[in-house]
Amino acid sequence: MLGLEALPALALAAGGIAAGFINVVAGGGSLITLPLLIFIGIPPTSANGTLRIAIFAQGLVAVRRFHTAGAIQWKTAATLVWPVWLGAIAGAVVASNMADTDFKSMIGWITLVAGGVVAMDLNKVLAGRTTKHSTARRIAFYLALIVVGFYGGLAQAGVGYLFLAALVLAGGYTLVEANVMKVVLVMAFTPLTILIFGLNSKIHIGYALVLAVGQALGGYFGAGVALSRGASIIRPVLVVVVVAAAIKLLFF
């Protein structure tokens, strides 16, 4: 009924565990799962919709953990979520109506660029870079959230890094605060993208559920790993994997 094949499902479960783990200790797990969904035969635009359920499952685990620890500024999140919603809705509508060949080429270049961002270690680049609030900067911040939301709705892969940049450079948040807020904001727009991709028949529910279980497990195990040490171990492997995936998407 779910239309699953054994080997692709097993590969996706393993990839989901790896992606969930990577998202917790370093970031960029969708740079693995999106190409993987395409490689096992899911049409590119449907792969883009399918992975959103796994993102939602992983987000539930992360948000619950942060909420229990009292780390989420819910009132602040409520003021930031609406521009993200606007952008994400527009991005998801565009993505769900793209031709598969066009989306595959686009995601190949995105994956290649994102691999460079992962290698750069954005957390270190942004560390300590906070800014004072002003009216002009606040406007720029909300515009940045709309743009990042649009990208999240469009492609998802690597969106966490863009949220970090917007929250720290334009919003004036510390890196620790930004890391928590990005999880909340991604969690907030993901149900909207699921709805849009679902209405356009761009979600393979069977593989989506397999991936969701894998990413939830990976996120759970990754939470026990020290972030600094974990990132140093995972980042070089992730860079190699995403660059190889980008080359495969673009040229083969």
Side-chain angles (χ1 to χ4, degrees):
M1 181 177 67
L2 296 178
L4 297 177
E5 296 181 14
L7 289 179
L10 288 173
L12 199 56
I17 292 172
F21 185 88
I22 288 169
N23 275 336
V24 171
V25 301
S30 295
L31 297 170
I32 291 177
T33 54
L34 181 54
L36 180 57
L37 282 163
I38 295 172
F39 296 160
I40 68 173
I42 305 297
T45 55
S46 295
N48 189 25
T50 298
L51 66 83
R52 309 299 176 127
I53 292 179
I55 296 297
F56 183 70
Q58 182 182 292
L60 281 175
V61 175
V63 168
R64 184 179 184 277
R65 182 181 180 91
F66 286 136
H67 176 70
T68 301
I72 299 176
Q73 302 174 35
W74 286 111
K75 290 184 178 180
T76 300
T79 67
L80 302 182
V81 72
W82 66 266
V84 176
W85 278 341
L86 290 176
I89 290 170
V93 169
V94 171
S96 63
N97 288 283
M98 287 183 70
D100 283 315
T101 53
D102 292 338
F103 182 80
K104 182 180 178 182
S105 178
M106 182 189 74
I107 203 64
W109 287 112
I110 287 174
T111 302
L112 192 61
V113 172
V117 174
V118 173
M120 183 175 61
D121 190 358
L122 192 61
N123 286 332
K124 288 184 178 179
V125 173
L126 295 176
R129 298 196 180 192
T130 58
T131 57
K132 294 182 179 180
H133 292 284
S134 66
T135 300
R137 186 168 295 278
R138 195 68 178 172
I139 293 172
F141 179 39
Y142 278 104
L143 290 174
L145 290 178
I146 292 174
V147 172
V148 176
F150 178 86
Y151 173 80
L154 181 71
Q156 179 67 43
V159 71
Y161 291 108
L162 296 181
F163 270 125
L164 280 180
L167 288 162
V168 172
L169 298 179
Y173 290 81
T174 67
L175 189 57
V176 173
E177 293 170 338
N179 268 301
V180 174
M181 192 59 68
K182 78 171 184 182
V183 174
V184 176
L185 294 177
V186 171
M187 181 68 179
F189 79 71
T190 299
L192 297 176
T193 63
I194 291 173
L195 177 62
I196 293 169
F197 283 109
L199 290 174
N200 285 277
S201 301
K202 296 294 185 179
I203 295 178
H204 190 298
I205 190 62
Y207 288 126
L209 293 176
V210 170
L211 186 59
V213 172
Q215 284 199 217
L217 286 173
Y220 175 81
F221 291 123
V225 177
L227 292 178
S228 58
R229 181 175 181 272
S232 67
I233 295 171
I234 294 297
R235 185 170 290 105
V237 177
L238 181 58
V239 170
V240 172
V241 170
V242 299
V243 170
I247 293 172
K248 169 71 174 175
L249 287 168
L250 288 170
F251 303 112
F252 298 96

